[in-house]
Amino acid sequence: MTDRPLGAQISHMLRARGVEVIFGIPGVHNVEMYRGIETAGITHVLARHEQGAGFMADGYARASGKPGVCYLITGPGLCNAMTALGQAYSDSAPVLAISSCLDEADARRGQLHQMRDQRAAAETVCDWSAEARSPEAAYALIDRAFSEFATARPRPKHLQVPIALAGRNAPPAPARPAASGLPQVSHGDLSMAITRILAAKKPLFVFGGGARAGAGAVPDILRQTGAASFVTYAGRGIVPPGTPLFFGSTLARPDSAQVAAEADLVIAIGTELSEVDLWRDHLGHDCPTIRVDIDAEVLAACGAGDMPLLGDAGAFLRAMAVAIPARVEDRAPCWDAAEVDRTRARWRAEIDAERPGILPVADALRAVMPEDAMIYSDMTQFAYAVKEVWDMPRPGHWHHPYGFGTLGYALPAAIGGAVARRGKPTVAILGDYGFQYTVQELGTAVELGLPLPILIWDNAKLGEIEAAMIASQIAPNAVVARNPDFLALARAYGAGAKEPETLSALQQALLAAFDAPGPTVIRMTRALAG
């Protein structure tokens, strides 16, 4: 326990708080942050762009359940990562970005990497952004970030450390403070909620990503209450495939509003029911709602007659599954199971017609995808179609840039996920245009020797934007770009490259990529569907 430069002390502190991996790019301004990484026993992953480092930290956090950390330089380094931090904020990923900053930015102009207000810029995409002006402040802010990750809705935080301060000797960080947990719904509120649910004739559950920790209790709850259910995109896997009365992740279907209108009670667990969940202003119900969430802002949307419950959705579900059998036996549902099945089949046909050629390819991939595979997708037509019909066998195993909706997410996020899950299957799915946003991170995947299948849906255009223009009666323009030879590009980086011509060959290529010594780019086109 000796004095070291503050930059080194921060790395040692992070290791003591459980951080094993940091993503980033060193520079002259943040070099002191790198003094202590190896001696602290932390692995550093060298990204090719700060945006990639931010996405990797996001992907690592989603895969591991632990905070993802990235080191950034002053000015452009932080700015480059702000897109990734905005995505982490939108999707509730616990990312801690630590950057250098100028010692003084007001009295002097023309300094390297200078911004007018770097801290305020980061605050626009983070939960908070703060500057540490002493070692004690740096330690306190790091512990504040980790405490908030564990006790509230996890969202990115930014800490900046002045260059000179990072190089000055500082005492070690204090011991880790006692941990606390998420807020809990009271026993009284739990009892009242169960009473209302059991009194409903046609209860409808909507499970969001915030309910993942209670997924094991969901089948029992649905059986006990006779309820129908939806999941949001982020909640896929919470309701197991084949569960009776399960409408899937199809809330974006316009006439799902008619289903919601049939319910006499909606129970929304761990979901905002936001625009990117529904693609309309309202779920469609006119009955009371029980909402369970750890974010008070979400609960503020409740109206008269609704029941907002601030607390951990996972613990709430587990408690329900124990408490309900003590009151009643399983209830016969009032929902029509055959009608649910017909509705899902009709919606699948709609999706297939809207984006032809995608679902047969997705079905072939799903048939051979390992059950424990973790999938990261990008903003691409392939993902838009598939996330409505691919029922995941496990929760928290398909990650997508839902809210912020940035291109370029999938590849670096999948790298972060693969680093967190060494030895387990991880997949990236992206479009030809989005791949080019962060293609340089292929070098990182090769460098790390990650057996990562990278599935590129290549329609040689911005297909979704072209469709939107046509729907708006706009002559399509600026939607076709010259693509590189993706397979040659992959080989140039040292990655594998495949272009299967049949669905069977695609399946073989995917399985082979899981056993490869490095990443494999697999190009897919509509021709695969025949």
Side-chain angles (χ1 to χ4, degrees):
M1 300 293 289
T2 59
D3 285 4
R4 301 183 181 94
L6 177 60
Q9 296 287 29
I10 287 173
S11 291
H12 281 264
M13 178 186 186
L14 291 172
R15 186 65 189 90
R17 302 308 189 256
V19 174
E20 299 175 341
V21 181
I22 290 173
F23 304 89
I25 301 175
V28 293
H29 278 186
N30 71 347
V31 68
E32 284 294 340
M33 306 296 296
Y34 284 77
R35 184 185 296 276
I37 288 182
E38 291 185 359
T39 56
I42 293 176
T43 298
H44 182 269
V45 173
L46 178 63
R48 298 308 193 258
H49 189 283
E50 288 89 358
Q51 184 179 107
F55 283 143
M56 289 176 196
D58 174 303
Y60 179 91
R62 299 194 201 200
S64 67
K66 300 187 294 185
V69 180
C70 55
Y71 278 177
L72 308 168
I73 63 162
T74 317
L78 177 62
C79 286
N80 285 342
M82 282 174 61
T83 295
L85 295 173
Q87 189 61 64
Y89 183 92
S90 180
D91 288 350
S92 303
V95 173
L96 175 59
I98 302 179
S99 76
S100 53
C101 69
L102 296 177
D103 300 310
E104 193 288 312
D106 292 321
R108 288 182 58 198
R109 293 298 181 195
Q111 299 179 74
L112 178 66
H113 300 333
Q114 187 163 23
M115 291 178 65
R116 292 182 62 190
D117 195 338
Q118 173 180 296
R119 186 210 61 78
E123 192 170 47
T124 63
V125 290
C126 291
D127 188 30
W128 51 257
S129 174
E131 180 174 333
R133 298 178 183 175
S134 69
E136 293 75 19
Y139 303 151
L141 287 165
I142 290 170
D143 274 335
R144 174 186 167 190
F146 278 81
S147 174
E148 290 175 4
F149 288 146
T151 60
R153 184 174 184 174
R155 277 177 157 161
K157 330 287 184 182
H158 168 243
L159 167 65
Q160 62 184 34
V161 180
I163 298 166
L165 180 62
R168 290 191 200 121
N169 271 12
R176 186 172 190 168
S180 55
L182 293 167
Q184 302 296 314
V185 174
S186 71
H187 291 294
D189 284 343
L190 171 67
S191 180
M192 284 192 288
I194 291 174
T195 297
R196 292 185 69 170
I197 293 168
L198 294 179
K201 293 182 178 180
K202 297 188 78 173
L204 176 66
F205 279 87
V206 181
F207 300 103
R212 288 195 297 266
V218 166
D220 285 343
I221 291 170
L222 294 176
R223 186 186 67 254
Q224 292 160 357
T225 61
S229 62
F230 282 93
V231 293
T232 67
Y233 299 135
R236 291 158 65 208
I238 292 175
V239 180
T243 297
L245 306 177
F246 179 39
F247 285 98
S249 51
T250 49
L251 288 168
R253 293 290 101 194
D255 54 343
S256 71
Q258 298 173 19
V259 175
E262 294 182 41
D264 59 352
L265 179 68
V266 169
I267 309 97
I269 311 288
T271 174
E272 289 184 82
L273 295 178
S274 66
E275 178 187 67
V276 295
D277 293 320
L278 307 176
W279 294 110
R280 57 182 182 271
D281 293 334
H282 190 261
L283 180 63
H285 63 298
D286 59 3
C287 61
T289 304
I290 297 174
R291 297 193 75 158
V292 183
D293 210 284
I294 58 171
D295 189 343
E297 183 179 343
V298 170
L299 299 178
C302 288
D306 292 341
M307 186 176 186
L309 300 175
L310 181 67
D312 175 17
F316 178 83
L317 288 169
R318 292 191 295 271
M320 278 187 65
V322 172
I324 290 176
R327 296 202 191 183
V328 295
E329 297 180 357
D330 294 354
R331 299 178 61 198
C334 292
W335 294 90
D336 185 336
E339 181 59 28
V340 173
D341 292 343
R342 285 192 294 269
T343 299
R344 287 207 66 175
R346 174 167 53 81
W347 286 342
R348 178 187 167 91
E350 289 177 2
I351 295 162
D352 195 24
E354 290 165 1
R355 298 185 175 101
I358 292 177
L359 296 194
V361 177
D363 290 342
L365 291 171
R366 180 169 49 181
V368 297
M369 189 70 68
E371 186 172 303
D372 63 341
M374 187 165 283
I375 301 170
Y376 292 82
S377 59
D378 216 293
M379 300 296 285
T380 170
Q381 282 189 317
F382 191 91
Y384 302 155
V386 171
K387 60 195 176 78
E388 290 197 75
V389 300
W390 189 320
D391 292 341
M392 294 295 291
R394 298 183 181 185
H397 276 61
W398 188 306
H399 305 291
H400 184 82
Y402 298 108
F404 211 42
T406 176
L407 284 159
Y409 170 81
L411 175 56
I415 291 171
V419 168
R421 288 164 38 89
R422 288 278 190 172
K424 297 181 180 179
T426 305
V427 182
I429 298 176
L430 55 169
D432 55 298
Y433 208 82
F435 180 52
Q436 296 177 74
Y437 270 55
T438 49
V439 63
Q440 67 275 4
E441 304 306 342
L442 191 55
T444 300
V446 171
E447 195 168 81
L448 296 173
L450 299 176
L452 176 66
I454 302 167
L455 300 165
I456 299 177
W457 181 253
D458 186 358
N459 56 12
K461 64 176 69 173
L462 289 164
E464 190 72 5
I465 308 307
E466 180 184 60
M469 287 180 169
I470 292 170
S472 301
Q473 298 184 339
I474 298 171
N477 62 82
V479 293
V480 177
R482 179 185 176 88
N483 281 340
D485 182 333
F486 291 121
L487 303 186
L489 184 60
R491 295 187 186 104
Y493 271 104
K498 299 289 183 182
E499 186 169 356
E501 296 182 356
T502 65
L503 293 177
S504 175
L506 173 63
Q507 292 173 323
Q508 294 170 20
L510 174 68
L511 295 175
F514 287 128
D515 295 324
T520 304
V521 171
I522 302 173
R523 180 173 178 262
M524 307 183 298
T525 68
R526 280 198 175 88
L528 279 169

